């Protein structure tokens, strides 16, 4: 297994192998910058990681024969154990970056005033929520809700296990 040293406070940027969809979702919940897509495996993954100085996350044992940039081989098939490995091996943390990225496309979310999202969200959401943000790339609107609390609880449970 290769270890990647990451200095404290530096932003961790990742490029995830296409088989790591569940892990990617949780990394984005935690606010990590992680790219992911059907084209990201093998040499495509290596090229993308190199172009943006990203650390590769992979389950592909053959990757290291392709002379990749720094990578982390994830030992488990399970996303919760993969997350724990990243917490342990590269000090993955969340905090104020939590829920700061679009879960679908990885863009950084921007705050939106309530009146500007009136036509973009269901009426019950509009009437019950005060704070909104949105993804400038895919235009999805986000608001704090019970599912965010549940996600945070799940994340903390994974980290504590
Ligand atoms: Zn988006």
């Amino acid at each position: 297994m290769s270890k990647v040293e990451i200095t404290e406070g530096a932003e961790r940027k990742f490029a995830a192998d296409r088989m790591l969809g569940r892990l990617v979702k949780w990394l984005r919940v935690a606010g990590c910058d992680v790219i992911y897509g059907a084209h990201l495996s093998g040499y495509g993954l290596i090229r993308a990681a190199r172009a943006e100085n990203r650390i590769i996350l992979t389950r592909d044992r053959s990757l290291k024969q392709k002379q990749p940039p720094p990578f982390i081989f994830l030992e488990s098939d399970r996303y919760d154990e993969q997350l724990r490995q990243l917490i342990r091996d590269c000090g993955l943390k969340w905090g104020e970056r939590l829920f700061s990225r679009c879960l679908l496309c990885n863009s950084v979310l921007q705050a939106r005033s309530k009146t500007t999202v009136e036509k973009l969200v269901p009426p019950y959401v509009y009437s019950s929520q005060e704070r909104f943000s949105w993804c400038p790339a895919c235009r999805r609107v986000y608001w704090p809700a019970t599912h965010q609390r549940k996600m945070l609880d799940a994340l903390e449970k994974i980290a504590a296990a």
Side-chain angles (χ1 to χ4, degrees):
M1 190 197 73
S2 78
K3 273 225 170 189
V4 177
E5 294 299 325
I6 301 167
T7 47
E8 192 60 36
E11 204 197 350
R12 298 152 182 85
K13 294 200 306 181
F14 299 110
D17 215 323
R18 66 179 170 195
M19 60 188 101
L20 298 172
R22 287 194 85 182
L23 175 67
V24 166
K25 190 195 114 183
W26 284 100
L27 287 173
R28 288 179 181 163
V29 167
C32 285
D33 181 347
V34 50
I35 56 169
Y36 173 75
H39 60 299
L40 294 179
S41 72
Y43 287 110
L45 183 64
I46 289 170
R47 263 195 306 276
R50 215 170 250 140
E52 299 181 356
N53 279 321
R54 292 173 180 276
I55 297 160
I56 291 177
L57 302 176
T58 188
R59 289 271 305 137
D60 177 5
R61 283 184 193 281
S62 69
L63 193 79
K64 62 172 175 282
Q65 278 122 49
K66 300 186 174 91
Q67 299 177 328
F71 70 98
I72 295 173
F73 178 77
L74 295 160
E75 294 152 47
S76 175
D77 265 332
R78 291 177 42 179
Y79 77 95
D80 53 346
E81 288 178 5
Q82 292 165 350
L83 262 179
R84 269 197 291 278
Q85 183 185 342
L86 294 178
I87 291 166
R88 191 182 66 223
D89 290 357
C90 65
L92 177 70
K93 279 195 207 122
W94 44 94
E96 56 193 39
R97 292 188 311 155
L98 204 62
F99 304 118
S100 62
R101 280 186 188 273
C102 180
L103 301 186
L104 298 181
C105 79
N106 194 46
S107 299
V108 174
L109 300 179
Q110 294 175 352
R112 288 282 297 244
S113 66
K114 180 163 175 162
T115 50
T116 65
V117 297
E118 183 168 5
K119 292 189 174 66
L120 304 175
V121 298
Y124 75 93
V125 170
Y126 187 75
S127 60
S128 64
Q129 300 291 322
E130 294 303 320
R131 293 194 302 128
F132 295 91
S133 54
W134 89 322
C135 172
C138 74
R139 299 176 173 259
R140 188 179 167 175
V141 178
Y142 290 83
W143 56 91
T146 49
H147 73 270
Q148 279 198 354
R149 184 69 240 172
K150 281 183 198 141
M151 279 188 204
L152 179 56
D153 288 347
L155 207 50
E156 283 175 346
K157 217 166 126 190
I158 290 167

